[in-house]
Amino acid sequence: MDNVSMTSQSGSGSVTGETAVPRGRKGRPARRTTEIDVAEARKAFFLMVGFIGLIWVLQVANWADHYRLDFDYGILPRSIGRLPEILSAPFLHFSWDHIEGNSGPLFVFGLLAAYRGVVKFLGVTLLVAITSGLAVWLFQSNNELTVGASGLIFGYFGYVLSRGLIDRNLIDALAAVVMALSYAYILTVAIPGTPGVSWIGHLGGLIGGIAAGWIFRTRRAVAGPGRTRLPGGSAGSGGSGGSAGSGGRAPDTAVARTSPDHPRADLYQELDDMGL
């Protein structure tokens, strides 16, 4: 599962106190959210199947060409001409054992990273590939050729864990920890000094994944000074004219947002459910 170095073979309540249900369908937003999650999970699954298939096709071609692709597209530290190879090295491996060790955790952590948003996942992958590759390019020993997807694996792990903590999604954070324990051997190869292993690439990937968890975090809207959130999630008046349930009149725009006859009632309801 390691980056290998060549030197060693490597309802919401309305503002008037009444319950407003857009078009009489209470469960519609929740069901739609579920459908979006399932659709993203399906796309994530097929994306990772394609990803694993791609690296195995490249492995067959690499093996048939006596691993020439490794020498042509692997990372060579501090070689300016080989700097672009930080983006190609994660797709290559030095041996069948190498790719077999990487494929399982790559699929699992990649799926966990992608199922909440494939577009974000592509951004995470690019960021992790850059941080892992640059770490190797800058700090690896001279003339040590490095390839392998384990930098991505550590990056996806860091992303899922930090995303779960930052977004307060304990399910994601717990899943990351459980999967890490299931692949406990990935921790043993991250220790500095392990022969034939680029622990620097692992560390660079992990740092990139943690950074991605912050960069691609879920941003929640913050209520402004004239807008407060009622327990049901609706926007109410934040002024001193009284609460919504005590006769205080909320802004007309807030009333319109909860009116079933408003042409954009469905849209406003979904935005409210997402906290926007």
Side-chain angles (χ1 to χ4, degrees):
M1 198 241 37
D2 41 307
N3 273 343
V4 179
S5 171
M6 193 59 182
T7 55
S8 53
Q9 180 49 30
S10 331
S12 62
S14 70
V15 292
T16 57
E18 301 173 356
T19 300
V21 181
R23 303 184 186 276
R25 284 179 277 190
K26 297 181 180 181
R28 182 177 177 181
R31 286 199 301 270
R32 182 173 300 175
T33 300
T34 302
E35 290 171 1
I36 292 174
D37 288 344
V38 171
E40 287 295 327
R42 185 182 299 113
K43 288 191 290 184
F45 175 81
F46 287 113
L47 176 64
M48 291 311 302
V49 168
F51 194 169
I52 298 298
L54 174 60
I55 65 173
W56 274 86
V57 168
L58 289 174
Q59 173 64 12
V60 172
N62 201 12
W63 168 79
D65 196 28
H66 305 287
Y67 293 96
R68 188 66 200 174
L69 292 178
D70 293 338
F71 292 95
D72 291 341
Y73 298 100
I75 301 173
L76 278 178
R78 292 169 293 283
S79 172
I80 299 297
R82 301 294 292 271
L83 184 58
E85 273 63 43
I86 64 175
L87 299 178
S88 59
F91 296 89
L92 302 172
H93 295 82
F94 278 128
S95 67
W96 293 107
D97 288 341
H98 189 196
I99 192 172
E100 288 170 5
N102 275 347
S103 295
L106 178 63
F107 180 83
V108 171
F109 286 111
L111 184 62
L112 288 174
Y115 89 100
R116 288 194 179 274
V118 169
V119 175
K120 284 184 179 182
F121 171 76
L122 297 177
V124 171
T125 300
L126 179 60
L127 177 59
V128 169
I130 291 174
T131 58
S132 177
L134 278 179
V136 171
W137 191 83
L138 289 170
F139 303 113
Q140 192 76 22
S141 300
N142 290 332
N143 300 321
E144 291 189 357
L145 187 67
T146 303
V147 299
S150 56
L152 292 181
I153 295 171
F154 275 79
Y156 293 153
F157 165 68
Y159 169 65
V160 174
L161 181 61
S162 63
R163 182 187 66 187
L165 296 176
I166 293 171
D167 289 349
R168 297 179 183 178
N169 189 323
L170 296 182
I171 294 178
D172 282 3
L174 182 60
V177 172
V178 170
M179 288 300 102
L181 293 176
S182 299
Y183 293 102
Y185 67 89
I186 70 174
L187 302 178
T188 64
V189 299
I191 300 173
T194 304
V197 175
S198 176
W199 67 270
I200 294 174
H202 296 165
L203 179 60
L206 182 62
I207 292 173
I210 293 173
W214 173 257
I215 294 171
F216 296 103
R217 69 191 183 277
T218 301
R219 289 169 171 79
R220 296 177 174 83
V222 179
R227 182 182 182 189
T228 58
R229 292 285 178 185
L230 298 177
S234 299
S237 173
S240 58
S243 66
S246 59
R249 174 134 169 72
D252 292 339
T253 55
V255 175
R257 289 168 68 100
T258 61
S259 172
D261 298 328
H262 194 278
R264 297 189 181 89
D266 284 345
L267 174 61
Y268 288 140
Q269 181 64 29
E270 292 189 27
L271 292 175
D272 279 341
D273 290 339
M274 292 187 291
L276 301 177

